[in-house]
Structures are given as structure tokens and as C-alpha cells.
Amino acid sequence: MGVRSDVVVIGAGQAGLSAAYGLRRAGLAPGSGFVVLDGEDGPGGAWRHRWPTLRVDRAHRIASLPGLPFEPADRTRPAAEIVPAYFDAYERVFDLQVRRPVRVSTVRSTGPDLHVETDAGTWTTRALINATGTWTRPFRPRYPGAETFRGRQLHTVDYNGPEEFAGRRVVVVGGGSSAVQLLMEIATVAAGTTWVTRRPPEFHDEPFGEEYGRAVVARVEERVRAGLPPQSVVSVTGLALTPEVRAAQAAGVLDRLPMFERITPDGVVWADGTSVAADVILWATGWRAALGHLAPLRLRGPGGGIAVDGTRVAADPRIHLVGYGPSASTIGANRAGQAAARDVVALLREPAAA
Ligand code: FAD
């Protein structure tokens, strides 16, 4: 059975906190009304793990959570320091009583109830707001020969700043903004860098207009409504042509090559036999939604994704996915969290089906 709570929110990143705020505002009490379970040791969601050179003034734009403005005194400090401090204050101001570290392993369904199984016991609930983000599920594509490489391979989640690449020959794989940022940093200290992406990168003049942002979100929304795996909003916005990016282009750092065919012990090789020697391969190849704990609910459809209408899972209206697909940005997570909270509160008012 386990502890009963009307709503369980899994994850205390931007999406989970904004949902918790919506539930609190609707009058639900922490504990019996709602509980937020988070796998981290402290506040901040994935921002706790962003690399030290990712600064707030260089981020795309970090939106305030609802009800408390994000106004850091020093925007040149690492996001991994400032955002967790802000989330900490947020949780205290709105008394959200996040339970951590609590790692959810599995969610099961019996009749009208959902059972949320964790390393700290089981919660039983009528509604679930899932806000588990992507950081815990880095994606690394398979290429032949990867296991033979004598150098180091790492993913963006393992990146800790450029210093450790001093004097190394580094291949950076991936066409997103993380790849570009890391590449620009590493190029200042490395013996050489090579950038490879599957598709030619698309650069856009800054700033991204609102209309463009809406069009991107609509594209991702269409995919998740159709039950296809989402693309990240941040990844489909394209790359901003900042002064820094223009300088890197002029210096040849962003001269891009198509994907190589295979990996050798000493580097990477293309189909035409061209090769590049490397000491390091950095996979800046993104993330997938961290939804493994929902597997027993069998929500995935034939398209490989979970069909979602707004934030509500089409196959099971008790479950909402926030920070997923079109809401995988700080501003999107804000809206999605609150929309899910409203919907769940309405659901709780309905008599429970047997
Ligand atoms: P997260 O912040 O990842 O929070 C999810 C939480 O759930 C974590 O605390 C995690 O530990 C927890 N969790 C996961 N699985 C479990 C489990 N099984 N049990 C318990 N807890 C669990 N967006 C912007 O708008 N502006 C930016 O500048 C920007 N920069 C970005 C830079 C990078 C490198 C990346 C990867 C993303 C960036 N984004 C940015 C996207 C943005 O960070 C997220 O979309 C947004 O913060 C929403 O976060 P979230 O709450 O969905 O997830």
C-alpha cells in the first residue's frame, strides 16, 4: 500500500517545482495533498550538474519560476551554483517540502491507484506529475570500433571545463548548442579540435524572435501529440550567431565535418578513407527523456513515444509529463507544471473510478 498522497510529483527541477507551486496554490497540503520526490541530494534539478563554465549570463535564458523572480546578484557565476540556490529559496518560500534523495524505481497501477515505488518506500496516489527531465539519461550513439579506441570517450554530462583537454586532440560529436559551447571552450587549450555532426548546423541571427520560438515549440508539440519520441526544444531552435560564435567561425573552430563511419584505436575514419587522429572523443549527443520508471504502465505507443495531449498522457489521464517535449525549456516547464497542476486538481474533484 504505502503512504497515501493525492498527487505525487516526481522530480524537483523547473518543471516539478512549478507543478508543486500550482498544487500548493490550489490548496493542496504537502504530505497528504501532494508530495515531491527528487533523486538529488539537494535543490537545483539538473542545474546542479551543469559544467562550471556554463554561466547564467551565457545561458539561452533562464526563466523565473512562477511567483518568485530569478534575480541573481552576479550573473557571471556558474549556473550550477546560482540556480540551485534560487530553487532552494523557492522551495522554502512556498513550503514545498521536497523529499530527497528519493529515487523512484517503478510506477505501477492497480484500479484507480498508482503505486510509486522508491528507495525510501512506496507512495500511493491518484495522480502523477512526472518531471524527471533528461539529464540522468545521456544519449550516446553507437559507432563501430568505439570499444577499440585507446583514448578517452566522454559525454557532455561528464564535462568539467576545458582544462583537462589542454594539449589533446579532441573530436567533438553533436550539432546542438552544448556541442558548440564545449567546442569553443576546448579549442582555446586543445592541440586541435574536429567538429562532426550528422546534419549541417543551422545558425540563426540573434535574438530568436517570439514567433520563431512558438513555431519550434509547435513542431515538437505535434510530434508528442502523435506519439513520436520528442526532440528537445533547445536542440531544434538552431544555433545562435553570438559574437563569440562568429569569432569561432572566423577562426575555423566551427568548420564542420559530416559524421565519420567508424572509430579506430587512434581516432576516427570516414567512408572515403580520410582519418583524424584523436586523444579524446566528446559525445555532445544529447539526452533522452528519463521515463524508465514508467515502463510497467505501458504508455509507449507504436510510434516509440508517449502520446501526450497538452501535458496529459493520452492513454492514462492520471498521468502528466512536464518538462517533456515542447515543455523542455525553463519557460515551457513553468507553463506545463502549472497546467498539469490545474488538470490534476480537476481530476481529484471527480469521484474515483473503481
Ligand atoms: P531537471 O532539471 O532535469 O529536473 C529533473 C529532476 O528529476 C532532477 O532533480 C532529477 O534528479 C529528478 N529525477 C529524475 N529521475 C528521477 C527518478 N527516477 N526518481 C526521482 N527523481 C528523479 N532551458 C532554458 O530555458 N534556458 C537555458 O539556458 C537552458 N540551458 C540548458 C543547458 C543544458 C546543458 C541543458 C541540458 C538544458 C538546458 N535547458 C535550458 C533546458 C532546461 O534546463 C530544462 O528543460 C528545464 O530546466 C526543465 O527541467 P526539468 O524540471 O524538466 O528537469
Side-chain angles (χ1 to χ4, degrees):
M1 256 303 279
V3 182
R4 192 164 259 290
S5 193
D6 287 336
V7 188
V8 171
V9 179
I10 311 178
Q14 188 103 8
L17 290 186
S18 125
Y21 170 87
L23 296 170
R24 196 87 176 88
R25 294 257 304 181
L28 271 66
S32 59
F34 74 94
V35 65
V36 185
L37 309 175
D38 186 55
E40 297 293 329
D41 290 329
W47 290 103
R48 293 170 64 78
H49 304 290
R50 304 285 200 244
W51 53 93
T53 44
L54 180 59
R55 290 176 5 190
V56 170
D57 59 341
R58 291 195 196 138
H60 285 291
R61 181 177 164 258
I62 300 175
S64 298
L65 281 159
L68 185 71
F70 176 54
E71 289 168 339
D74 181 357
R75 302 183 73 83
T76 66
R77 303 293 309 154
E81 178 185 310
I82 290 179
V83 180
Y86 168 60
F87 282 16
D88 185 26
Y90 193 82
E91 290 175 16
R92 281 187 284 110
V93 167
F94 296 108
D95 190 25
L96 301 178
Q97 300 184 22
V98 175
R99 303 283 304 260
R100 61 164 69 89
V102 177
R103 190 112 217 119
V104 175
S105 50
T106 310
V107 181
R108 299 180 198 281
S109 171
T110 41
D113 287 335
L114 292 163
H115 306 285
V116 180
E117 298 174 8
T118 81
D119 54 5
T122 299
W123 273 262
T124 297
T125 187
R126 281 184 60 196
L128 179 72
I129 300 183
N130 191 85
T132 46
T134 58
W135 187 263
T136 54
R137 222 184 131 208
F139 171 72
R140 204 177 110 178
R142 286 178 207 279
Y143 276 86
E147 67 293 345
T148 69
F149 185 58
R150 276 197 286 257
R152 179 179 176 210
Q153 297 186 66
L154 73 162
H155 186 274
T156 315
V157 293
D158 310 309
Y159 181 73
N160 218 2
E163 297 78 15
E164 56 187 319
F165 302 98
R168 321 292 296 205
R169 297 161 301 175
V170 185
V171 173
V172 177
V173 186
S177 45
S178 299
V180 170
Q181 249 185 40
L182 271 41
L183 187 59
M184 291 191 304
E185 290 185 12
I186 291 169
T188 61
V189 297
T193 56
T194 305
W195 187 27
V196 295
T197 71
R198 262 186 316 153
R199 283 181 293 275
E202 270 183 50
F203 288 96
H204 294 271
D205 276 323
E206 281 195 297
F208 295 129
E210 249 180 57
E211 201 176 306
Y212 179 68
R214 266 198 296 272
V216 166
V217 167
R219 245 165 67 194
V220 182
E221 201 155 27
E222 209 173 291
R223 283 182 66 87
V224 298
R225 194 183 287 277
L228 297 170
Q231 293 163 289
S232 101
V233 173
V234 178
S235 77
V236 286
T237 46
L239 302 160
L241 267 175
T242 61
E244 212 184 354
V245 167
R246 287 182 201 277
Q249 281 178 326
V253 170
L254 298 180
D255 292 348
R256 162 266 179 193
L257 294 174
M259 271 315 292
F260 46 76
E261 188 188 61
R262 65 199 156 83
I263 300 170
T264 67
D266 303 311
V268 295
V269 180
W270 280 261
D272 66 0
T274 316
S275 65
V276 164
D279 305 304
V280 180
I281 302 173
L282 171 54
W283 297 95
T285 38
W287 291 264
R288 296 290 182 263
L291 299 174
H293 52 289
L294 301 182
L297 301 173
R298 298 179 174 279
L299 302 174
R300 276 188 202 282
I306 299 178
V308 171
D309 183 8
T311 60
R312 190 191 315 135
V313 172
D316 191 333
R318 296 172 300 176
I319 302 172
H320 287 253
L321 303 184
V322 297
Y324 177 77
S327 65
S329 68
T330 53
I331 190 150
N334 277 351
R335 292 188 191 128
Q338 290 181 90
R342 276 194 301 275
D343 202 279
V344 156
V345 167
L347 178 90
L348 293 177
R349 292 205 185 103
E350 292 171 13

